C-alpha cells in the first residue's frame, strides 16, 4: 500500500470513532453490561482499520510507529506487572476501582478478568503516549 | 549515514514538500532523512537518487 496522508487519517479517525463508540456504550451500560459479540466485532474492525492506517504510512513513519508501539507495549506489560501485585495488597481500593469500572458492586471472576485485560490495554496506551512524548522532546532538544 | 539531499534540493530549488511529493513520503520523513535522524531503505534511497537524476552514491555516503 502506498503512502497516503488522507488514507492514514481516514482509517485512524474511523478506528478512533469506533473506540469512542465502544467507550461511550460501556459508560452507558457499564463494562459488564456490554454484549460480548458487539465488543469483539468492534475490536476486530478497529484492529483492521489500525493496520490499514499503518500501511498508509511511509517507511520512516512505519518504523517510528512500530518503535513507539513496541516500547509502549513493553512499558504497559511491566507497569501491569507492578500494578497487579500492588492492587492485591489493597483489596478495598481494588473493589472501589471494580465498582467504578462496572458501575455496580461486583465480585464475579469474569469481571476481574475483564478488569485485568483493560488494565493491560490502558497501561500499554499510556506507555505508547509516554514514548511518543519522550521522542518529541528528544527531537526538539 | 551522510547525505547531500539538502544540497541537491537547493540546486533544483525544490522545497522539502515538493521533493517529498515526488518520492511519495511525508515531508516530516524527508526532513528526518535529510538531517540524518533516519536512514532510508535501499529502494527509497534509489527513488531519491532517481528524482535527482544521479547515482545513489552521489546522494548517500558513509560517515
Amino acid at each position: 500500500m502506498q503512502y497516503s496522508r488522507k488514507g492514514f487519517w481516514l482509517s485512524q479517525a474511523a478506528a478512533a470513532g469506533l473506540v469512542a463508540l465502544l467507550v461511550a456504550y460501556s459508560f452507558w451500560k457499564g463494562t459488564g453490561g456490554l454484549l460480548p459479540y458487539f465488543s469483539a466485532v468492534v475490536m476486530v474492525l478497529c484492529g483492521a482499520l489500525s493496520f490499514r492506517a499503518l500501511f498508509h504510512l511511509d517507511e520512516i513513519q512505519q518504523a517510528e510507529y512500530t518503535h513507539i508501539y513496541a516500547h509502549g507495549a513493553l512499558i504497559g506489560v511491566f507497569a501491569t506487572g507492578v500494578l497487579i501485585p500492588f492492587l492485591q495488597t489493597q483489596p478495598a481500593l481494588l473493589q472501589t476501582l471494580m465498582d467504578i469500572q462496572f458501575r455496580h458492586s461486583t465480585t464475579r471472576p469474569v469481571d476481574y478478568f475483564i478488569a485485568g485485560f483493560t488494565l493491560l490495554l490502558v497501561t500499554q496506551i499510556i506507555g505508547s503516549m509516554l514514548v511518543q512524548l519522550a521522542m518529541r522532546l528528544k527531537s526538539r532538544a | 549515514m551522510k547525505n547531500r539531499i539538502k544540497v541537491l534540493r537547493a540546486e533544483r530549488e525544490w522545497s522539502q514538500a515538493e521533493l517529498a511529493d515526488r518520492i511519495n513520503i511525508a515531508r516530516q520523513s524527508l526532513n528526518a532523512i535529510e538531517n540524518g535522524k533516519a536512514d532510508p531503505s535501499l529502494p527509497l534511497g534509489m527513488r531519491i537518487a532517481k528524482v535527482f537524476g544521479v547515482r545513489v552514491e552521489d546522494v548517500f555516503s558513509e560517515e
Side-chain angles (χ1 to χ4, degrees):
Chain A
M1 208 175 278
Q2 278 203 327
Y3 165 70
S4 162
R5 189 181 164 86
K6 193 178 165 188
F8 169 75
W9 285 110
L10 278 175
S11 301
Q12 202 180 43
L18 282 174
V19 170
L21 183 76
L22 192 64
V23 170
Y25 185 47
S26 73
F27 269 102
W28 178 45
K29 290 286 237 181
T31 313
L34 286 179
L35 294 170
Y37 295 116
F38 177 77
S39 308
V41 168
V42 170
M43 290 315 286
V44 166
L45 283 173
C46 220
L49 284 164
S50 301
F51 267 101
R52 193 179 158 76
L54 191 67
F55 288 118
H56 275 304
L57 295 172
D58 64 48
E59 62 175 59
I60 305 293
Q61 291 173 318
Q62 276 184 15
E64 190 180 309
Y65 271 71
T66 306
H67 174 90
I68 289 169
Y69 178 71
H71 288 84
L74 268 182
I75 290 172
V77 168
F78 290 121
T80 306
V82 172
L83 283 170
I84 287 179
F86 169 73
L87 288 171
Q88 280 177 325
T89 64
Q90 307 288 329
L93 173 65
L94 176 62
Q95 196 54 51
T96 307
L97 293 174
M98 289 291 291
D99 296 348
I100 291 170
Q101 182 176 354
F102 291 94
R103 328 257 310 163
H104 60 84
S105 193
T106 180
T107 52
R108 287 193 314 159
V110 69
D111 289 345
Y112 283 97
F113 176 77
I114 293 169
F117 178 74
T118 309
L119 181 69
L120 179 63
L121 212 60
V122 169
T123 51
Q124 289 195 340
I125 291 167
I126 293 170
S128 299
M129 288 164 85
L130 287 174
V131 173
Q132 198 163 14
L133 180 71
M135 283 173 73
R136 291 253 163 99
L137 291 173
K138 193 180 162 191
S139 69
R140 281 186 189 180
Chain B
M1 192 161 67
K2 282 198 300 186
N3 69 74
R4 295 181 57 243
I5 296 176
K6 202 169 186 173
V7 176
L8 293 164
R9 201 165 53 74
E11 284 172 4
R12 287 156 184 80
E13 297 181 343
W14 290 347
S15 65
Q16 274 192 344
E18 197 176 343
L19 176 57
D21 273 351
R22 284 173 189 258
I23 54 176
N24 197 32
I25 63 169
R27 192 197 59 76
Q28 292 85 347
S29 301
L30 177 63
N31 187 51
I33 295 170
E34 207 174 275
N35 293 315
K37 288 179 179 166
D39 290 328
S41 65
L42 187 56
L44 178 56
M46 291 172 81
R47 227 157 66 215
I48 294 171
K50 195 176 173 185
V51 295
F52 285 130
V54 296
R55 295 174 306 169
V56 179
E57 54 266 42
D58 295 330
V59 185
F60 300 99
S61 59
E62 280 185 290
E63 289 282 2

